[in-house]
Amino acid sequence: NLAVLLLQILSSVLSFFTPGLFGFLFAATVRAAVTELASEWATFSEIVFFCTYGIMHAVFVYVHLKRSKPHDCVLNVPFFLVVATVNALLMVMVISMMIYEAYTYSTWPVLLTFGSMTLVPLIIAAISGSLEALSIMIRALPVFVLLTPTFIAVMPAYNMSRLADLSWGNRPTISKVKAESRRKSLDMPDDAARLEIWLAEQMAGCKRLNFSLVVANLIIMVVLEHILKSTAFLPEIKSTRVTPGIYDGALEVCV
């Protein structure tokens, strides 16, 4: 039970930084694809992708930050659909490049590791003994795979941007009569004014937190490659590529 609890805590902490992880994964895929087509443009294409994807992530968080009522945007649906579509297309590129490099450079461990992780829900449905569950998972698998970045990276970023949102779950709870009596006895401002002050403080704190998370994720996108190569602990991948160590940390990213 303790191990499961620790894994859950670790999962919750890592969810704050999944935008950076997927940004790095997508950038590495773009670089690999461009390398096959025109290797002299590989580094430039990666830099352009870092800037484009990083700006998209930062703007998405900024647009959905909690604001005062007239300017608040709970969910910008067109923008969300654009982000989800971009992530789905990038996932298609990731899978395509994994398959291509497995056949071309014998990097089967990367493809098999990614596939085994991705197929876990399908395997669980298969061993459950329910044909209906297996059928549902087979039909849902393409959507599950393509929307993985959206559910794992975009939705947590959205949740954090709306952390100061006032709802029935976090609204101050006290009866109207008691609140009015307390206000008069303590010579305090009315509830509406207090609520506005409280909400303004929450929004300011939320903005600072989200700014820190966005900066952290942008840094992760850029430096994760160097961190992985120095801390890789899984077996080295043998490939037919000329450049040695190019796949150091690839298995860790999949996991």
Side-chain angles (χ1 to χ4, degrees):
N1 290 338
L2 181 59
V4 173
L5 178 61
L6 291 175
L7 285 174
Q8 186 63 44
I9 294 173
L10 177 62
S11 174
S12 299
V13 172
L14 289 178
S15 68
F16 296 143
F17 307 106
T18 45
L21 174 61
F22 276 102
F24 163 74
L25 174 63
F26 293 151
T29 304
V30 169
R31 181 180 61 186
V34 175
T35 300
E36 296 297 320
L37 301 174
S39 58
E40 65 274 11
W41 291 95
T43 302
F44 177 76
S45 65
E46 186 178 29
I47 294 172
V48 170
F49 180 85
F50 274 137
C51 295
T52 305
Y53 196 82
I55 290 172
M56 183 180 72
H57 171 65
V59 171
F60 180 83
V61 172
Y62 175 78
V63 166
H64 294 101
L65 281 174
K66 174 66 180 176
R67 296 175 174 84
S68 55
K69 277 269 177 133
H71 310 289
D72 192 28
C73 175
V74 177
L75 178 62
N76 188 315
V77 176
F79 193 9
F80 177 80
L81 292 176
V82 168
V83 172
T85 302
V86 169
N87 282 329
L89 293 174
L90 288 170
M91 278 302 294
V92 172
M93 180 181 289
V94 168
I95 296 171
S96 300
M97 285 303 299
M98 281 186 177
I99 295 173
Y100 170 79
E101 295 205 343
Y103 276 100
T104 307
Y105 302 111
S106 301
T107 57
W108 293 103
V110 178
L111 180 62
L112 293 176
T113 302
F114 176 82
S116 62
M117 295 292 175
T118 304
L119 295 177
V120 166
L122 189 63
I123 296 172
I124 293 175
I127 64 178
S128 68
S130 171
L131 291 178
E132 182 181 4
L134 181 60
S135 174
I136 291 173
M137 285 308 305
I138 292 174
R139 294 197 304 270
L141 187 63
V143 178
F144 168 75
V145 173
L146 296 181
L147 293 183
T148 293
T150 300
F151 282 114
I152 296 180
V154 178
M155 293 306 297
Y158 171 80
N159 292 338
M160 293 304 296
S161 69
R162 302 299 302 177
L163 195 61
D165 208 358
L166 188 63
S167 68
W168 291 111
N170 59 6
R171 187 184 300 275
T173 55
I174 187 171
S175 69
K176 189 174 181 180
V177 176
K178 288 183 178 180
E180 184 65 19
S181 174
R182 183 182 177 189
R183 182 185 70 80
K184 290 181 177 179
S185 64
L186 299 176
D187 194 23
M188 298 172 63
D190 58 56
D191 285 346
R194 289 171 55 208
L195 190 59
E196 286 297 326
I197 295 172
W198 176 83
L199 187 56
E201 293 174 351
Q202 297 298 311
M203 289 189 293
C206 183
K207 288 178 182 178
R208 290 191 294 269
L209 174 61
N210 277 275
F211 175 80
S212 302
L213 289 176
V214 168
V215 171
N217 278 291
L218 294 179
I219 293 174
I220 288 173
M221 289 184 196
V222 177
V223 305
L224 187 58
E225 178 179 5
H226 306 288
I227 296 175
L228 285 173
K229 286 188 174 182
S230 61
T231 60
F233 59 91
L234 293 176
E236 181 182 354
I237 298 174
K238 304 295 183 181
S239 73
T240 58
R241 274 191 180 274
V242 178
T243 309
I246 192 171
Y247 294 103
D248 290 352
L251 294 179
E252 284 78 3
V253 171
C254 291
V255 173

